Amino acid sequence: KHDIGTFIRTCFKRFHTHNTRTRTRKIKNKVVKITPITTHNTYHTHHHIMPSASFPPPCVMGDESIMSKKSHGTSNTPVQTNLRWGVDVKIADNICNFNRHGAENYGYLFKISFLKDSREELRQHEHKEENESGDTTEFEMTFYDSNTGIPLFVAPRKGGRCLEDFLKESMNHGWPSFRDDEVVWENVRCLNSGEVVSVDGTHLGHNIPDGKGSRYCINLVSVAGKPLDG
């Protein structure tokens, strides 16, 4: 028997093929109406995707108490006011601090300067290395908590995939998609529901495993912070 939860899981296995128009889909002669999220106050929902689970190492599991009510939603601080890539501060604050299941709209990474700026950062890195030493070291890009500025993910990471491989997977899924070795585990936890959070209580996204293992499907608005020393 099919229900809406089953249908949502099926949609995500097909690379989250969503758009901004109301659509219908027939499942064994049953028509299901899907209305994607298009406003600032409501968001795409991930909470039907994963059943209660414990994920294999190196994933670090966390306790539900991490997301307990604090002075600003689930965090003690609102998002930074100068987020990277032109991220909308209002959307970021709602998703990071007053939300457990929602997500930014599918393909939000296409609508801001993230892709262009990431490639430009790589170009500048290579240019600087070539001019200063003649040698090119592997490029790494760090993603910081939009609330606190602590490092959460590093992608690409030395010894791992290149920037274009990371961007390609992220574009295919519609959200930044990180792998185990790209997570800064001292600052990130997975809950049994599949929710991915920072140790400070910032909602980040969800772990949606595929054939390659854990895949951390993360809201760009949650990792658009600037470092504490920057």
Side-chain angles (χ1 to χ4, degrees), residues 1-20:
K1 181 179 179 180
H2 293 274
D3 57 19
I4 188 62
T6 302
F7 179 65
I8 291 175
R9 286 191 292 272
T10 301
C11 287
F12 268 83
K13 290 179 181 178
R14 296 175 181 173
F15 297 115
H16 318 295
T17 51
H18 299 274
N19 56 33
T20 58

Side-chain angles (χ1 to χ4, degrees), residues 151-163:
L152 301 175
F153 302 92
V154 181
R157 179 159 243 170
K158 292 177 182 178
R161 55 183 173 172
C162 67
L163 175 65

Side-chain angles (χ1 to χ4, degrees), residues 33-80:
K33 183 178 180 181
I34 301 299
T35 306
I37 302 305
T38 58
T39 73
H40 286 195
N41 297 318
T42 50
Y43 305 100
H44 185 94
T45 303
H46 283 173
H47 70 287
H48 288 293
I49 299 167
M50 291 300 304
S52 180
S54 179
F55 301 100
C59 180
V60 179
M61 301 301 295
D63 188 82
E64 181 68 25
S65 62
I66 295 172
M67 299 300 282
S68 61
K69 183 175 176 57
K70 303 179 184 68
S71 60
H72 191 76
T74 58
S75 177
N76 283 318
T77 180
V79 298
Q80 300 172 4

Side-chain angles (χ1 to χ4, degrees), residues 66 70-72 74-84 92-93 96-97 142-153 184 186-188 197-204 221-230:
I66 295 172
K70 303 179 184 68
S71 60
H72 191 76
T74 58
S75 177
N76 283 318
T77 180
V79 298
Q80 300 172 4
T81 57
N82 58 340
L83 296 173
R84 300 163 76 186
D93 198 50
C96 289
N97 300 313
T142 303
F143 295 77
Y144 300 92
D145 191 313
S146 291
N147 287 324
T148 64
I150 61 173
L152 301 175
F153 302 92
V184 182
E186 56 262 41
N187 296 330
V188 176
V197 303
S198 80
V199 293
D200 294 322
T202 306
H203 172 82
L204 303 177
V221 300
S222 299
V223 293
K226 294 185 177 179
L228 297 176
D229 58 358

Side-chain angles (χ1 to χ4, degrees), residues 115-125:
L115 298 174
K116 176 177 70 69
D117 289 357
S118 299
R119 290 173 174 134
E120 176 60 20
E121 192 173 333
L122 170 61
R123 189 194 68 78
Q124 291 181 6
H125 168 81

Side-chain angles (χ1 to χ4, degrees), residues 53 55 59-63 66 185 188-197 206-207 214 216:
F55 301 100
C59 180
V60 179
M61 301 301 295
D63 188 82
I66 295 172
W185 285 113
V188 176
R189 296 289 184 269
C190 275
L191 307 187
N192 286 335
S193 63
E195 184 181 7
V196 182
V197 303
H206 286 81
N207 184 2
S214 288
Y216 306 95

